[in-house]
Amino acid sequence: MKLRNGYKIVFAGDSTTDADKRSTQDLLGNGYVRLIRNALTAFHPEMETFIVNSGISGNKSSDLLARWDADVSAHNPDIVFCMIGINDVWRHFDYLEDSSRWLSEDDYRANLKKMVEKSKGFYELVLLTPYYMESNRSDEMRLMTDRYSEIVRKTGAECKLHVIDTQARFDKYMKSRPGQSISWDRVHPGAVGSVLLADEILKFLES
Amino acid sequence: MKLRNGYKIVFAGDSTTDADKRSTQDLLGNGYVRLIRNALTAFHPEMETFIVNSGISGNKSSDLLARWDADVSAHNPDIVFCMIGINDVWRHFDYLEDSSRWLSEDDYRANLKKMVEKSKGFYELVLLTPYYMESNRSDEMRLMTDRYSEIVRKTGAECKLHVIDTQARFDKYMKSRPGQSISWDRVHPGAVGSVLLADEILKFLES
Amino acid sequence: MKLRNGYKIVFAGDSTTDADKRSTQDLLGNGYVRLIRNALTAFHPEMETFIVNSGISGNKSSDLLARWDADVSAHNPDIVFCMIGINDVWRHFDYLEDSSRWLSEDDYRANLKKMVEKSKGFYELVLLTPYYMESNRSDEMRLMTDRYSEIVRKTGAECKLHVIDTQARFDKYMKSRPGQSISWDRVHPGAVGSVLLADEILKFLES
Amino acid sequence: MKLRNGYKIVFAGDSTTDADKRSTQDLLGNGYVRLIRNALTAFHPEMETFIVNSGISGNKSSDLLARWDADVSAHNPDIVFCMIGINDVWRHFDYLEDSSRWLSEDDYRANLKKMVEKSKGFYELVLLTPYYMESNRSDEMRLMTDRYSEIVRKTGAECKLHVIDTQARFDKYMKSRPGQSISWDRVHPGAVGSVLLADEILKFLES
Amino acid sequence: MKLRNGYKIVFAGDSTTDADKRSTQDLLGNGYVRLIRNALTAFHPEMETFIVNSGISGNKSSDLLARWDADVSAHNPDIVFCMIGINDVWRHFDYLEDSSRWLSEDDYRANLKKMVEKSKGFYELVLLTPYYMESNRSDEMRLMTDRYSEIVRKTGAECKLHVIDTQARFDKYMKSRPGQSISWDRVHPGAVGSVLLADEILKFLES
Amino acid sequence: MKLRNGYKIVFAGDSTTDADKRSTQDLLGNGYVRLIRNALTAFHPEMETFIVNSGISGNKSSDLLARWDADVSAHNPDIVFCMIGINDVWRHFDYLEDSSRWLSEDDYRANLKKMVEKSKGFYELVLLTPYYMESNRSDEMRLMTDRYSEIVRKTGAECKLHVIDTQARFDKYMKSRPGQSISWDRVHPGAVGSVLLADEILKFLES
Amino acid sequence: MKLRNGYKIVFAGDSTTDADKRSTQDLLGNGYVRLIRNALTAFHPEMETFIVNSGISGNKSSDLLARWDADVSAHNPDIVFCMIGINDVWRHFDYLEDSSRWLSEDDYRANLKKMVEKSKGFYELVLLTPYYMESNRSDEMRLMTDRYSEIVRKTGAECKLHVIDTQARFDKYMKSRPGQSISWDRVHPGAVGSVLLADEILKFLES
Amino acid sequence: MKLRNGYKIVFAGDSTTDADKRSTQDLLGNGYVRLIRNALTAFHPEMETFIVNSGISGNKSSDLLARWDADVSAHNPDIVFCMIGINDVWRHFDYLEDSSRWLSEDDYRANLKKMVEKSKGFYELVLLTPYYMESNRSDEMRLMTDRYSEIVRKTGAECKLHVIDTQARFDKYMKSRPGQSISWDRVHPGAVGSVLLADEILKFLES
């Protein structure tokens, strides 16, 4: 099993990771990070593990990169899970920012590469694809998300990093129910989506 | 001009009409009904008109029908605008209700017909199609919404009622920007969608 | 697999089941019942199941029995999980009630029997033992809890009902960490204890 | 049409512009500026425009002048709408300030001139007259407001700036209803007055 | 001196009398009635007097008449001060009510007469004119208020009742400062107007 | 009349002057200072006067002296009313402070003298005696208050300053009603005591 | 020792007993009753005793008498402590009620007698004198309180009831510190006075 | 009697001493320190004593040592009561901190010694043992607490300091009722435990 006593795990990302962590006293948030923390304690009380939630709502890949040293590496982790990119995509569709601030696929690829470089030799980095809970694969925002996910997969392959395909897991769920049954905006994972994300990560940690 | 002094207008519908009306002292809500009220006063101060917001959040066509006598006809209106149906559709996708409570297209058509019958001879009824701010016309929920809109259009034609095609107006907007730029869930109209709805209705009233 | 489409599950009990359910809009509470709900939706989206949280904080076996018809049977369930008794025990130790209101082991056994009788022929009843997160088996309150758990086990055996031994699960956990690491009062399951309870119940449902 | 893609618009003024902007997350306030923002997005989604609300409650012309560089010019706008002066007038009547702090017509004219000079060559400046929702033209406060409006008109003519006569628009409204029907204090525009102001400005922008 | 030990005084009226009395534990409100209560206790501690605030915000003469028996006569007073009518006037100008609910001068005169009749033989009734803090006597709302005040004066003269001319007192004040310096809406008396009203009434009581 | 246009008045003291001034937007408090402000505006609108509340709750004479330059003289007043000393007395009885911090009569006299010196030649200083709403003149706290009041009277006489005998005014009131009818602690003036204090000061200002 | 296992104690009285009991979940209030409860549990854990707080703020002897059956006898107590009367006295001094509602010494004596009669043969009644934390024995309110205390003492002697002289205990305290050091109003016992009252009652119970 | 006029007492410790002191205006908290303060004033009004609550929730012996100079010695006390250590123990059981931060018995002994040294020659130091309200002496956490208490006793004996055995007092109580009847977590003393602690300390002070 990957997991071992004394293991330190950092989760880096955006609001799907953050999950309103500032409202929680232990700063773990109310999402998949907390589910993982509770499961590790319940199922492996014989091991002491350390968890840091380094997600910040609204972050794009450029925001995460800018704080990577202070918020990720500085924790001196054994392993880092990084799920970023959906806000790079989303801003093209919700117009929350001026178009001058949108990030291209090239920007995203470059940012991702820099995070990988910062990790090399210091800790294991696991990449998670972004996901969009839209089953229609010709939807414009799904198409763009798929292109960003492909960048994650390729970057993982090139750099020999493990990649968790979160989109695949949500696609499996969406064979039975629409993405709207999890989340109105199809991005924030809510209670059910967090179970899916935590399950994928726990399976990897316990493998 | 359709509008005349002493005119009484009722808006019947769901949350897109309701717009949190219980939080507002005059019970007009914070949506398109209020925009219409303000515009009528500002642009036609020489006329006294009366407006009732009869939208209730979460209503399906069956809920609106059940309260039609008390909440619509009882106001003795001159004209009624009715926009209903998106919740009939939505429940198939967000799983907020057990499947046993979902309404079919036949249910919807029958409910609509009964509202029309209750109006006949008493006041003018204007039907508004439901809408879904999804530009991909092969999206499952858009497809179902389109079928419900078609029921509205056919019912209007058969009964010789004026129909306002709200979907067409949103489709025009979506040529430039995605539906997500108006609303995360693509249903609640928000500030910008309310302007579009109010504009359509005002154009009809001032025609 | 036990679980099947359309399955209706009622959880009957005290505060460990209730988990502040009145503060939650869907009345599922914040404890193991919610974890089960989320897991069933996430892992079995192809099935529609129905869950009712019938726990009420502070209930002793007599309180639960008094409301069994209205709060359990009336839901017409397929299966009922019943975990009750820790308050029967606890009142002897925390003096929250006058001694005249304490329940004896005989009272407990009799109450349990009546619940079983009310269930026979209508729905499957699964009994869960109470538990006390105290590893010292000669502790007075643990001793009493163990006697009550034994009553559950015997009742289950006599009536051919499945029994989930929650104490055994917590005992396993307490081989690594003290009960206080889960809960200051060693009764309320908190985040970690709820994972253990949910896990036991899910294993049974998926078996 | 005046409006074009990438246009940046600043609204400078007092509380009629401010409209409690600090209570709104996007700092646009709840008045005519927001109505303009919503209308531009709804009716011109094909254009990206930028809007800044630089109104501050209680400002007199001297206050606005003092912050003009930082709050207006620093935004590097394409066009600026400036409506200021009613507080210069009002303080003579409500005694909120000592008489030593009242501003004369000469003060007002001088302040206005300096704002015009700061704008010249950098961005288009549109002047709006102040207004007082009092139909009686021999009312003391109306008389003073009219003199200040005349200063705006003359300054506009001398400097070849477009002037929007807000008083004229309110006078037209007051042919049908008294000013009190819009606002108890006859100054703050409220919901209906904001529609009138936004309509005047939109007509200019779309002309 | 009119005032004597055991005297019971009722103040009947609208919001100018009410002064948010429900927010005050002793139901005297925060206006002129409280000032009178405090002055009587401070300056005449040797006398015990009883005071009732029977003002209700928004009341027109018809509203006050409808509750006269229960809210005025039922207190079995020695003297009643009645100031009503400004809302009869105001509704013609602020459009808070539909025009069908406006009261005419004849309505007002008739309502006043009925109050007088109900008082005759039971207690002394003192009439106070309404007032409008507008110094311009050709203002439409001032003109209407003056006509209503004249009805009060005539009714007083006919029925041999003492009349307190509140408008005269405010007119004296307005020789030095505008009405806006007391109140933005020129109706609610605020801190300064309440001093003027209390002073007029105290002079009468102590005469 | 003492009062004249442009007059600036400072009220210096303790909680009886302060009257919770920080809870009031204009920092005038809810006590006699506000009553004076309202009366001056209502009865003398032709004059502009300026009022500063420089009372601070809990102040003893030493505290007031320490802030005299900043809080009194710095305002450049025409006249200053100073009522201080009851806290010098009270602390001997309520034990809110250690006995080492109690002030003696000599301390009080010396502090008072220094305030007088700071005023000489700059503005008129009017001294008000402290008061204690206890009619029993042999009560220990009344006796001590009387000795402090005598110090005020003597200081006034020596320095040729006007002295307002607030104790005399309260004694007159207490011929009819006990001090407890004004205030439970017999120190804070409440609504009725503030009327008495304001009346004494207004009589002097208008004399 | 008077106290024995199973003992039920009712405390009847006014605000000094009540001590804001409605703000406390167990309805024991924050005064001497709670101190007694805590002391009995801490010092006599081997005994189970029952305590009821039947004090109601503002009660005069007539109010307590009116609810004696329901609030005292109905609890079927072993012993009742009754401290009432200070409000009978106080209302003559604070003018919170009209003089017509004041109670005389005869009223007080009669009310007390009726309570005694209701108790006879059912439970032990212990009378506590009222007290006033005023050391000056010629103070008007102290004089009246002393007369009421004397009525308690005489009633106790006549009816052979134990009387606790609370005034004596406070007088002893006041040899060292004034009554104001306990309470601004010299009636409500506060933290220190509650210790004195509890101490007197505990000494009796443990005697 | 140990206690004498002018005595200054500091209570140093953790949450059992702190008792939420920041929520109390006088910073004495709601626990045994306040009970001592109230008892000293009530029973010894002839003496002036000074009390400081220097407890801080969550403190271990290392935390208290780090702030000893500033929070204990700096007050220049006559006597210091020090009760610390339960958090040193508790963290081994509740896992609120990583195991790397746990303190050993040697750490505890050393910290205690350093506090004693800092006191020598300056003020009397009284040591209180920690306690755990668990009657089962073979309970793991009770065993560890007993070892820490033994360190306190030995340190007291070696350094000739008075030691108060709080565990002995709680053990006596627990002969009649379980520790849970005082406190769910068996550590925080609550209302009843605070009475026991205050009683032990008062007996020493009055001895």
Side-chain angles (χ1 to χ4, degrees), chain H residues 122-142:
Chain H
F122 296 106
Y123 41 83
E124 179 171 1
L125 179 65
V126 177
L127 299 177
L128 294 94
T129 66
Y131 60 85
Y132 186 48
M133 285 180 263
E134 166 63 65
S135 56
N136 193 320
R137 300 197 184 200
S138 58
D139 173 88
E140 287 294 335
M141 187 163 155
R142 172 70 196 253

PDB file of all heavy atoms in Angstrom, chain H residues 122-142:
ATOM      1  N   PHE H 122      10.021  34.888  45.871  1.00  0.00           N
ATOM      2  CA  PHE H 122       9.179  36.003  45.447  1.00  0.00           C
ATOM      3  C   PHE H 122       7.747  35.897  45.954  1.00  0.00           C
ATOM      4  O   PHE H 122       7.144  36.880  46.337  1.00  0.00           O
ATOM      5  CB  PHE H 122       9.190  36.112  43.926  1.00  0.00           C
ATOM      6  CG  PHE H 122      10.541  36.440  43.365  1.00  0.00           C
ATOM      7  CD1 PHE H 122      11.291  35.478  42.720  1.00  0.00           C
ATOM      8  CD2 PHE H 122      11.082  37.719  43.525  1.00  0.00           C
ATOM      9  CE1 PHE H 122      12.541  35.788  42.201  1.00  0.00           C
ATOM     10  CE2 PHE H 122      12.333  38.026  43.012  1.00  0.00           C
ATOM     11  CZ  PHE H 122      13.075  37.059  42.362  1.00  0.00           C
ATOM     12  N   TYR H 123       7.205  34.693  45.940  1.00  0.00           N
ATOM     13  CA  TYR H 123       5.815  34.516  46.376  1.00  0.00           C
ATOM     14  C   TYR H 123       5.586  33.054  46.700  1.00  0.00           C
ATOM     15  O   TYR H 123       6.352  32.188  46.255  1.00  0.00           O
ATOM     16  CB  TYR H 123       4.824  34.958  45.282  1.00  0.00           C
ATOM     17  CG  TYR H 123       5.212  34.550  43.886  1.00  0.00           C
ATOM     18  CD1 TYR H 123       4.909  33.270  43.415  1.00  0.00           C
ATOM     19  CD2 TYR H 123       5.876  35.411  43.038  1.00  0.00           C
ATOM     20  CE1 TYR H 123       5.262  32.874  42.133  1.00  0.00           C
ATOM     21  CE2 TYR H 123       6.244  35.039  41.749  1.00  0.00           C
ATOM     22  CZ  TYR H 123       5.938  33.772  41.300  1.00  0.00           C
ATOM     23  OH  TYR H 123       6.280  33.376  40.036  1.00  0.00           O
ATOM     24  N   GLU H 124       4.551  32.806  47.481  1.00  0.00           N
ATOM     25  CA  GLU H 124       4.237  31.426  47.812  1.00  0.00           C
ATOM     26  C   GLU H 124       3.615  30.744  46.600  1.00  0.00           C
ATOM     27  O   GLU H 124       2.750  31.311  45.935  1.00  0.00           O
ATOM     28  CB  GLU H 124       3.258  31.369  48.994  1.00  0.00           C
ATOM     29  CG  GLU H 124       2.894  29.938  49.339  1.00  0.00           C
ATOM     30  CD  GLU H 124       2.098  29.793  50.625  1.00  0.00           C
ATOM     31  OE1 GLU H 124       1.792  30.828  51.270  1.00  0.00           O
ATOM     32  OE2 GLU H 124       1.788  28.649  50.993  1.00  0.00           O
ATOM     33  N   LEU H 125       4.051  29.531  46.326  1.00  0.00           N
ATOM     34  CA  LEU H 125       3.480  28.771  45.209  1.00  0.00           C
ATOM     35  C   LEU H 125       2.761  27.552  45.782  1.00  0.00           C
ATOM     36  O   LEU H 125       3.355  26.789  46.555  1.00  0.00           O
ATOM     37  CB  LEU H 125       4.586  28.333  44.248  1.00  0.00           C
ATOM     38  CG  LEU H 125       4.132  27.510  43.038  1.00  0.00           C
ATOM     39  CD1 LEU H 125       3.236  28.324  42.104  1.00  0.00           C
ATOM     40  CD2 LEU H 125       5.348  27.013  42.251  1.00  0.00           C
ATOM     41  N   VAL H 126       1.486  27.406  45.434  1.00  0.00           N
ATOM     42  CA  VAL H 126       0.719  26.232  45.842  1.00  0.00           C
ATOM     43  C   VAL H 126       0.455  25.399  44.602  1.00  0.00           C
ATOM     44  O   VAL H 126      -0.032  25.921  43.587  1.00  0.00           O
ATOM     45  CB  VAL H 126      -0.618  26.637  46.502  1.00  0.00           C
ATOM     46  CG1 VAL H 126      -1.423  25.405  46.855  1.00  0.00           C
ATOM     47  CG2 VAL H 126      -0.356  27.486  47.730  1.00  0.00           C
ATOM     48  N   LEU H 127       0.814  24.131  44.660  1.00  0.00           N
ATOM     49  CA  LEU H 127       0.605  23.253  43.506  1.00  0.00           C
ATOM     50  C   LEU H 127      -0.694  22.472  43.656  1.00  0.00           C
ATOM     51  O   LEU H 127      -1.005  21.969  44.732  1.00  0.00           O
ATOM     52  CB  LEU H 127       1.775  22.276  43.365  1.00  0.00           C
ATOM     53  CG  LEU H 127       3.146  22.895  43.131  1.00  0.00           C
ATOM     54  CD1 LEU H 127       4.228  21.817  43.093  1.00  0.00           C
ATOM     55  CD2 LEU H 127       3.164  23.688  41.825  1.00  0.00           C
ATOM     56  N   LEU H 128      -1.428  22.378  42.580  1.00  0.00           N
ATOM     57  CA  LEU H 128      -2.609  21.514  42.572  1.00  0.00           C
ATOM     58  C   LEU H 128      -2.344  20.391  41.584  1.00  0.00           C
ATOM     59  O   LEU H 128      -1.835  20.629  40.476  1.00  0.00           O
ATOM     60  CB  LEU H 128      -3.854  22.296  42.132  1.00  0.00           C
ATOM     61  CG  LEU H 128      -4.320  23.400  43.083  1.00  0.00           C
ATOM     62  CD1 LEU H 128      -3.736  24.728  42.688  1.00  0.00           C
ATOM     63  CD2 LEU H 128      -5.836  23.475  43.137  1.00  0.00           C
ATOM     64  N   THR H 129      -2.666  19.194  41.983  1.00  0.00           N
ATOM     65  CA  THR H 129      -2.514  18.084  41.045  1.00  0.00           C
ATOM     66  C   THR H 129      -3.525  18.240  39.922  1.00  0.00           C
ATOM     67  O   THR H 129      -4.584  18.827  40.117  1.00  0.00           O
ATOM     68  CB  THR H 129      -2.808  16.737  41.712  1.00  0.00           C
ATOM     69  OG1 THR H 129      -4.202  16.710  42.071  1.00  0.00           O
ATOM     70  CG2 THR H 129      -1.970  16.540  42.955  1.00  0.00           C
ATOM     71  N   PRO H 130      -3.200  17.717  38.741  1.00  0.00           N
ATOM     72  CA  PRO H 130      -4.274  17.581  37.762  1.00  0.00           C
ATOM     73  C   PRO H 130      -5.232  16.483  38.242  1.00  0.00           C
ATOM     74  O   PRO H 130      -4.979  15.833  39.253  1.00  0.00           O
ATOM     75  CB  PRO H 130      -3.557  17.172  36.482  1.00  0.00           C
ATOM     76  CG  PRO H 130      -2.291  16.528  36.928  1.00  0.00           C
ATOM     77  CD  PRO H 130      -1.917  17.188  38.239  1.00  0.00           C
ATOM     78  N   TYR H 131      -6.309  16.298  37.559  1.00  0.00           N
ATOM     79  CA  TYR H 131      -7.267  15.257  37.952  1.00  0.00           C
ATOM     80  C   TYR H 131      -7.945  14.748  36.692  1.00  0.00           C
ATOM     81  O   TYR H 131      -7.948  15.426  35.648  1.00  0.00           O
ATOM     82  CB  TYR H 131      -8.329  15.822  38.917  1.00  0.00           C
ATOM     83  CG  TYR H 131      -9.108  16.949  38.304  1.00  0.00           C
ATOM     84  CD1 TYR H 131     -10.222  16.701  37.511  1.00  0.00           C
ATOM     85  CD2 TYR H 131      -8.693  18.265  38.473  1.00  0.00           C
ATOM     86  CE1 TYR H 131     -10.898  17.735  36.907  1.00  0.00           C
ATOM     87  CE2 TYR H 131      -9.368  19.308  37.877  1.00  0.00           C
ATOM     88  CZ  TYR H 131     -10.462  19.040  37.094  1.00  0.00           C
ATOM     89  OH  TYR H 131     -11.114  20.071  36.476  1.00  0.00           O
ATOM     90  N   TYR H 132      -8.503  13.561  36.801  1.00  0.00           N
ATOM     91  CA  TYR H 132      -9.285  13.001  35.704  1.00  0.00           C
ATOM     92  C   TYR H 132     -10.489  12.332  36.345  1.00  0.00           C
ATOM     93  O   TYR H 132     -10.338  11.483  37.213  1.00  0.00           O
ATOM     94  CB  TYR H 132      -8.435  11.990  34.913  1.00  0.00           C
ATOM     95  CG  TYR H 132      -9.102  11.463  33.666  1.00  0.00           C
ATOM     96  CD1 TYR H 132      -9.707  12.329  32.755  1.00  0.00           C
ATOM     97  CD2 TYR H 132      -9.127  10.099  33.386  1.00  0.00           C
ATOM     98  CE1 TYR H 132     -10.315  11.849  31.604  1.00  0.00           C
ATOM     99  CE2 TYR H 132      -9.734   9.618  32.232  1.00  0.00           C
ATOM    100  CZ  TYR H 132     -10.328  10.498  31.349  1.00  0.00           C
ATOM    101  OH  TYR H 132     -10.936  10.019  30.206  1.00  0.00           O
ATOM    102  N   MET H 133     -11.702  12.760  35.953  1.00  0.00           N
ATOM    103  CA  MET H 133     -12.906  12.280  36.627  1.00  0.00           C
ATOM    104  C   MET H 133     -13.307  10.887  36.140  1.00  0.00           C
ATOM    105  O   MET H 133     -14.411  10.668  35.643  1.00  0.00           O
ATOM    106  CB  MET H 133     -14.031  13.285  36.423  1.00  0.00           C
ATOM    107  CG  MET H 133     -13.865  14.527  37.286  1.00  0.00           C
ATOM    108  SD  MET H 133     -15.216  15.699  37.032  1.00  0.00           S
ATOM    109  CE  MET H 133     -14.495  16.813  35.845  1.00  0.00           C
ATOM    110  N   GLU H 134     -12.384   9.956  36.274  1.00  0.00           N
ATOM    111  CA  GLU H 134     -12.572   8.568  35.890  1.00  0.00           C
ATOM    112  C   GLU H 134     -12.279   7.738  37.137  1.00  0.00           C
ATOM    113  O   GLU H 134     -11.174   7.790  37.676  1.00  0.00           O
ATOM    114  CB  GLU H 134     -11.577   8.236  34.763  1.00  0.00           C
ATOM    115  CG  GLU H 134     -11.391   6.780  34.457  1.00  0.00           C
ATOM    116  CD  GLU H 134     -12.664   6.142  33.956  1.00  0.00           C
ATOM    117  OE1 GLU H 134     -13.142   6.499  32.883  1.00  0.00           O
ATOM    118  OE2 GLU H 134     -13.214   5.288  34.718  1.00  0.00           O
ATOM    119  N   SER H 135     -13.278   6.981  37.588  1.00  0.00           N
ATOM    120  CA  SER H 135     -13.084   6.265  38.852  1.00  0.00           C
ATOM    121  C   SER H 135     -12.297   4.969  38.671  1.00  0.00           C
ATOM    122  O   SER H 135     -11.712   4.452  39.614  1.00  0.00           O
ATOM    123  CB  SER H 135     -14.448   5.964  39.481  1.00  0.00           C
ATOM    124  OG  SER H 135     -15.242   5.254  38.583  1.00  0.00           O
ATOM    125  N   ASN H 136     -12.284   4.471  37.446  1.00  0.00           N
ATOM    126  CA  ASN H 136     -11.553   3.239  37.175  1.00  0.00           C
ATOM    127  C   ASN H 136     -10.057   3.517  37.152  1.00  0.00           C
ATOM    128  O   ASN H 136      -9.542   4.111  36.214  1.00  0.00           O
ATOM    129  CB  ASN H 136     -12.006   2.674  35.827  1.00  0.00           C
ATOM    130  CG  ASN H 136     -11.520   1.265  35.645  1.00  0.00           C
ATOM    131  OD1 ASN H 136     -10.392   0.942  35.998  1.00  0.00           O
ATOM    132  ND2 ASN H 136     -12.395   0.432  35.119  1.00  0.00           N
ATOM    133  N   ARG H 137      -9.365   3.058  38.172  1.00  0.00           N
ATOM    134  CA  ARG H 137      -7.955   3.439  38.288  1.00  0.00           C
ATOM    135  C   ARG H 137      -7.034   2.698  37.322  1.00  0.00           C
ATOM    136  O   ARG H 137      -5.858   3.023  37.210  1.00  0.00           O
ATOM    137  CB  ARG H 137      -7.489   3.240  39.725  1.00  0.00           C
ATOM    138  CG  ARG H 137      -8.332   4.120  40.656  1.00  0.00           C
ATOM    139  CD  ARG H 137      -7.758   4.329  41.988  1.00  0.00           C
ATOM    140  NE  ARG H 137      -8.728   5.096  42.776  1.00  0.00           N
ATOM    141  CZ  ARG H 137      -8.426   5.781  43.851  1.00  0.00           C
ATOM    142  NH1 ARG H 137      -7.180   5.785  44.305  1.00  0.00           N
ATOM    143  NH2 ARG H 137      -9.352   6.445  44.505  1.00  0.00           N
ATOM    144  N   SER H 138      -7.570   1.702  36.604  1.00  0.00           N
ATOM    145  CA  SER H 138      -6.724   1.031  35.617  1.00  0.00           C
ATOM    146  C   SER H 138      -7.000   1.566  34.204  1.00  0.00           C
ATOM    147  O   SER H 138      -6.454   1.072  33.234  1.00  0.00           O
ATOM    148  CB  SER H 138      -6.946  -0.482  35.671  1.00  0.00           C
ATOM    149  OG  SER H 138      -8.308  -0.762  35.427  1.00  0.00           O
ATOM    150  N   ASP H 139      -7.844   2.574  34.103  1.00  0.00           N
ATOM    151  CA  ASP H 139      -8.059   3.242  32.814  1.00  0.00           C
ATOM    152  C   ASP H 139      -6.744   3.881  32.383  1.00  0.00           C
ATOM    153  O   ASP H 139      -6.015   4.468  33.193  1.00  0.00           O
ATOM    154  CB  ASP H 139      -9.148   4.315  32.983  1.00  0.00           C
ATOM    155  CG  ASP H 139      -9.305   5.170  31.751  1.00  0.00           C
ATOM    156  OD1 ASP H 139     -10.083   4.806  30.855  1.00  0.00           O
ATOM    157  OD2 ASP H 139      -8.624   6.235  31.690  1.00  0.00           O
ATOM    158  N   GLU H 140      -6.431   3.757  31.095  1.00  0.00           N
ATOM    159  CA  GLU H 140      -5.131   4.236  30.601  1.00  0.00           C
ATOM    160  C   GLU H 140      -4.901   5.721  30.894  1.00  0.00           C
ATOM    161  O   GLU H 140      -3.829   6.139  31.312  1.00  0.00           O
ATOM    162  CB  GLU H 140      -5.016   3.990  29.091  1.00  0.00           C
ATOM    163  CG  GLU H 140      -4.819   2.539  28.690  1.00  0.00           C
ATOM    164  CD  GLU H 140      -3.482   1.976  29.171  1.00  0.00           C
ATOM    165  OE1 GLU H 140      -2.530   2.765  29.377  1.00  0.00           O
ATOM    166  OE2 GLU H 140      -3.402   0.745  29.366  1.00  0.00           O
ATOM    167  N   MET H 141      -5.936   6.517  30.652  1.00  0.00           N
ATOM    168  CA  MET H 141      -5.740   7.965  30.822  1.00  0.00           C
ATOM    169  C   MET H 141      -5.697   8.317  32.311  1.00  0.00           C
ATOM    170  O   MET H 141      -4.970   9.218  32.727  1.00  0.00           O
ATOM    171  CB  MET H 141      -6.856   8.729  30.101  1.00  0.00           C
ATOM    172  CG  MET H 141      -6.632  10.231  30.096  1.00  0.00           C
ATOM    173  SD  MET H 141      -7.649  11.079  28.834  1.00  0.00           S
ATOM    174  CE  MET H 141      -7.759  12.743  29.562  1.00  0.00           C
ATOM    175  N   ARG H 142      -6.445   7.576  33.131  1.00  0.00           N
ATOM    176  CA  ARG H 142      -6.373   7.779  34.576  1.00  0.00           C
ATOM    177  C   ARG H 142      -4.988   7.395  35.091  1.00  0.00           C
ATOM    178  O   ARG H 142      -4.393   8.106  35.908  1.00  0.00           O
ATOM    179  CB  ARG H 142      -7.459   6.935  35.275  1.00  0.00           C
ATOM    180  CG  ARG H 142      -7.361   6.908  36.789  1.00  0.00           C
ATOM    181  CD  ARG H 142      -7.723   8.255  37.436  1.00  0.00           C
ATOM    182  NE  ARG H 142      -7.277   8.354  38.812  1.00  0.00           N
ATOM    183  CZ  ARG H 142      -8.047   8.297  39.895  1.00  0.00           C
ATOM    184  NH1 ARG H 142      -9.362   8.181  39.748  1.00  0.00           N
ATOM    185  NH2 ARG H 142      -7.549   8.376  41.109  1.00  0.00           N
TER     186      ARG H 142
END
